[in-house]
Amino acid sequence: MKLIFTLFMALFFVSSISAQWKDPSERLEWNKEVEKKWSQKNTPDANGKLSVNHLITLDTYIDPYSQNMAEGRYGTKFNFKYYSFKLPKEFKRGDTLLLRITEVINPLDFYLSRLDLTYNESSIFESGGMFRMDAFYKGQPVPIDGPGIEVQFPVQNPTNVYNLYSYQNNLWEKKQDSKDIQTSASTTESTSDNFEFNLSSIDKIVSGIKGFVWWNFDLPRKNITCLTGRIKSSNTNHSVTVVGISKLGVTTKQFYTDEFKINYLQDVMVKVIVDGGDGTLGASNQIQTNKVDSYFYSDENKKGKCQNIGEIHTKKVSPELKNNRGELLKYLGLNDIL
């Protein structure tokens, strides 16, 4: 009972913690509390439905003339002026904009983002988290204008200096050195003895954010290894995703056979998730990636050096499971961070 109380208290006072529970029952209790917190803050999407399986977003209506800050679910703060937006001519004082704030801090959301954090042929990102903000007026996008927006983001596990990158034209572009991006930081760290892995966070402030694109705090790593295995499924079209747990990040790749080879960072606790086009879904156990250089390019390049993780079984899952975040977490064997 004392342990459960400690977990509940951590939910509200720990800035950001990610772990794999030593006792599965503790994980279930934690996820119930996370879901409860979401249900208190959930807002409908544009179609009036709650976004559960998809990325966790926060929809909020603001009057840009009287409001200058919005905050996401995980504490990301967006500071702006009314001239930060290119308001349409028909916009009148007293009208509101719809802001949709998306933060990617949880391993599940890295998977659901469908983004690949491969930076170039020789490096993969270790991530501190991603974010984006979109604005709408009467259902139409409103561009970010003027000096842009200042963002205060809780960068996860800041053991290294993370740079800022944006995702444009299917490529990650570094923005840290741009003249309109300045950074400063104030550290707030939290750890707990109840977890196998502990993540701390650091609030990093960036200014001059423009455009409805993904922004990612990352560090390109060259210590890359390769995972291989087989997929047991009646379907031959699979999306294979490696999700980082002890260090956040994700790589994803499409395969049309029952064998896969996919790259990830060395010495990281991961989950491999297989998503079939026919509604099938499966996941590996937790895997510690090797400390072996084995970047996979093709069947002829370094064949046989990939870490073999065996067979991943997939099965047809109901739409209800995919639309219930708690059940999806349980099925994939993942936890959430708050």
Side-chain angles (χ1 to χ4, degrees):
M1 194 67 185
K2 183 178 179 181
L3 177 58
I4 297 300
F5 176 78
T6 302
L7 297 177
F8 288 175
M9 293 298 289
L11 175 66
F12 296 100
F13 294 105
V14 175
S15 62
S16 181
I17 299 173
S18 173
Q20 295 303 303
W21 299 101
K22 298 174 182 178
D23 184 342
S25 64
E26 295 173 9
R27 182 190 69 195
L28 294 177
E29 290 296 333
W30 176 270
N31 284 333
K32 286 178 183 177
E33 287 301 306
V34 174
E35 286 184 272
K36 187 187 298 182
K37 193 170 184 181
W38 281 335
S39 67
Q40 294 168 356
K41 298 165 64 177
N42 245 346
T43 52
D45 65 15
N47 298 316
K49 297 179 180 179
L50 292 177
S51 298
V52 180
N53 175 45
H54 304 294
L55 290 168
I56 294 298
T57 62
L58 180 68
D59 287 2
T60 183
Y61 289 90
I62 61 106
D63 179 349
Y65 286 100
S66 62
Q67 187 175 346
N68 58 12
M69 196 273 282
E71 185 172 350
R73 296 188 183 280
Y74 295 112
T76 305
K77 294 180 174 64
F78 296 83
N79 298 288
F80 47 83
K81 304 293 185 182
Y82 74 90
Y83 49 80
S84 298
F85 302 97
K86 190 175 182 180
L87 298 173
K89 292 181 179 179
E90 61 269 28
F91 189 92
K92 301 174 183 177
R93 284 185 177 271
D95 287 353
T96 57
L97 295 178
L98 168 64
L99 298 186
R100 175 160 296 164
I101 299 170
T102 311
E103 301 152 290
V104 173
I105 291 175
N106 285 294
L108 178 64
D109 291 324
F110 275 90
Y111 159 64
L112 292 175
S113 73
R114 309 302 184 191
L115 293 172
D116 186 290
L117 299 194
T118 301
Y119 182 48
N120 52 38
E121 289 188 351
S122 62
S123 58
I124 292 175
F125 283 134
E126 174 189 322
S127 180
M130 300 187 288
F131 69 88
R132 66 178 291 158
M133 186 183 76
D134 298 270
F136 303 92
Y137 177 65
K138 295 183 178 180
Q140 298 300 313
V142 175
I144 296 176
D145 198 18
I149 292 173
E150 182 183 88
V151 180
Q152 181 177 335
F153 183 79
V155 179
Q156 304 301 300
N157 201 25
T159 55
N160 298 283
V161 178
Y162 289 103
N163 291 316
L164 185 66
Y165 296 79
S166 64
Y167 191 69
Q168 302 182 61
N169 302 317
N170 295 320
L171 292 172
W172 290 103
E173 298 180 3
K174 186 176 179 181
K175 296 295 180 181
Q176 184 78 10
D177 297 331
S178 177
K179 64 181 180 180
D180 60 351
I181 300 290
Q182 299 87 38
T183 63
S184 61
S186 60
T187 306
T188 54
E189 297 191 5
S190 299
T191 58
S192 172
D193 294 334
N194 295 324
F195 308 107
E196 293 178 12
F197 305 118
N198 292 302
L199 291 184
S200 57
S201 67
I202 183 170
D203 290 338
K204 192 161 188 177
I205 301 169
V206 293
S207 59
I209 295 296
K210 299 179 182 180
F212 299 147
V213 297
W214 282 108
W215 298 88
N216 196 356
F217 287 97
D218 293 287
L219 186 67
R221 295 285 198 183
K222 295 183 179 294
N223 56 324
I224 297 172
T225 192
C226 172
L227 300 174
T228 186
R230 304 193 78 84
I231 303 165
K232 188 171 183 180
S233 172
S234 57
N235 185 37
T236 57
N237 183 359
H238 304 97
S239 173
V240 177
T241 303
V242 183
V243 180
I245 298 172
S246 58
K247 291 182 180 178
L248 297 175
V250 63
T251 59
T252 186
K253 190 176 179 182
Q254 200 73 22
F255 293 90
Y256 301 96
T257 66
D258 62 354
E259 184 180 8
F260 66 86
K261 293 183 177 72
I262 188 167
N263 300 311
Y264 202 70
L265 298 174
Q266 297 175 23
D267 196 26
V268 177
M269 187 68 73
V270 301
K271 277 268 186 178
V272 180
I273 301 173
V274 178
D275 194 346
D278 58 351
T280 56
L281 189 64
S284 70
N285 294 324
Q286 290 184 34
I287 297 164
Q288 189 78 23
T289 59
N290 282 343
K291 299 179 183 179
V292 177
D293 292 328
S294 58
Y295 200 115
F296 176 76
Y297 294 103
S298 67
D299 288 336
E300 290 73 35
N301 189 339
K302 298 185 178 180
K303 185 174 181 179
K305 290 188 178 181
C306 292
Q307 177 181 350
N308 194 323
I309 65 170
E311 194 171 61
I312 297 178
H313 293 248
T314 65
K315 67 177 183 179
K316 195 99 171 180
V317 296
S318 67
E320 289 76 19
L321 184 145
K322 284 193 171 185
N323 289 325
N324 184 312
R325 189 178 178 93
E327 291 300 313
L328 187 60
L329 285 164
K330 181 180 176 182
Y331 182 83
L332 297 175
L334 291 171
N335 302 314
D336 271 320
I337 307 169
L338 270 187

